[in-house]
Amino acid sequence: MSLLMHTLHVELGERSYPIYIGRDILSDPSLLSRHIRGRQVALVSNDTVAPLYGDAVRAALGDRDLVTDIVLPDGEQYKTLDTLNHIFDRLLACGHNRSTTLVALGGGVVGDVCGFAAACYQRGVDFVQVPTTLLAQVDSSVGGKTAVNHPLGKNMIGAFYQPQAVLIDTATLHSLPAREFAAGLAEVVKYGLICDAPFYDWLQDNMPRLLAREEAALAEAIERSCASKATVVAADEREGGIRAILNLGHTFGHAIETAQGYGTWLHGEAVAAGTVLALRLSARRGAISEADVEGFITLLQSMKLPVVPPEDMDAEQFLTLMARDKKVLDGRLRLVLLSAIGQAEVVDDVSEAQLRELFAA
Ligand code: NAD
Ligand code: GLY
């Protein structure tokens, strides 16, 4: 029996869309079908998630002229142009036209690749996000960033392209491996740090409930995270300004992911260690206290997330990789730091010497 617990809206004029949060809702035909305009659907998933939830989603699609399963190999290392091309090959070979809808069923990798495929296929077709990892439910499925990786940098080839709807089924989190679940929690905590101090306090009090994957706690954390994300995206869809705060810890984190080889450190793990660095810098600038940093580290440790970068990464490697960050503007590195717990800012005045000192500590 499905239970719809929250409905939020990403307000973007004619590109506005709902986010549904509930239990067992991916098999609810009334939710998914209302966001599929045409008679053709391609269900894009991977070889881990498709066997778990593919049948339920397919059943919820109702009667269609054409339903094509596109099952990708699982892993960040497949978030590539080759995989994108495979999707196009399948869509064309099966006769999908411009009225088709792509349904992304999976984590952030499937969502990002499928969303980019939807942005490009026949100059743009509809797509719906059905995120099945915590990270995808609170972050990647909302906001329309789609991309694939390039060997020289993460998410370097992509588009802003909004879905028709996001369907978040909390029941899917029960099959998620613990390490993936913890990685998603890193992004949940991010919202508390950047824009919602009461939520940060709530997370500190309720982390044991979240780690036990209690239904009500999960729905609350997802709803509050998505509400923050929806507000930021509505204010700055294409990251001309404020949206950059969603990248707290990511400039360091992306450097870690690229240095280690995509898929070695999980995105959320790299973000966790990167956020510790961002908070240390914020504390050195006097914006937050050392006790705040230590409190954050304790929280991450309770989630079994890394709190320091990989041992084999040195300052040189960080600086080289960070120079390729998408936030670099006119040669200046821009970093997201905290101005207080629950408040973030983008700064461009951190010197190379300060960064070297940070990495040496
Ligand atoms: P992922 O998509 O690789 O999923 C993690 C693992 O969990 C995979 O093995 C997947 O098959 C498996 N899985 C997914 N759902 C499952 C379930 N319910 N039960 C069991 N196993 C399940 O990783 P992710 O953490 O979801 O996403 C990371 C990606 O998201 C990165 O590529 C990152 O760049 C991207 N991202 C994008 C945005 C954005 O705004 N577009 C934001 C954050 C991250
Ligand atoms: N995850 C960062 C963003 O969506 O902008």
Side-chain angles (χ1 to χ4, degrees), residues 139-140 142-145 160 187 190-191 229 232-233 236-237 239 243-247 250 267:
D139 194 355
S140 62
V142 176
K145 277 190 180 176
F160 286 98
E187 299 280 7
K190 171 188 82 179
Y191 293 107
K229 177 124 193 199
V232 173
V233 168
D236 178 22
E237 183 183 7
E239 202 167 307
R243 183 165 178 167
I245 68 169
L246 296 172
N247 288 321
H250 284 55
H267 177 72

Side-chain angles (χ1 to χ4, degrees), residues 25-38:
I25 59 172
L26 61 72
S27 51
D28 181 342
S30 70
L31 284 184
L32 187 54
S33 287
R34 76 174 75 146
H35 297 286
I36 298 179
R37 291 186 284 196

Side-chain angles (χ1 to χ4, degrees), residues 116-130:
F116 190 34
C120 302
Y121 188 68
Q122 302 199 5
R123 300 198 182 90
V125 295
D126 287 354
F127 88 111
V128 175
Q129 289 271 19
V130 185

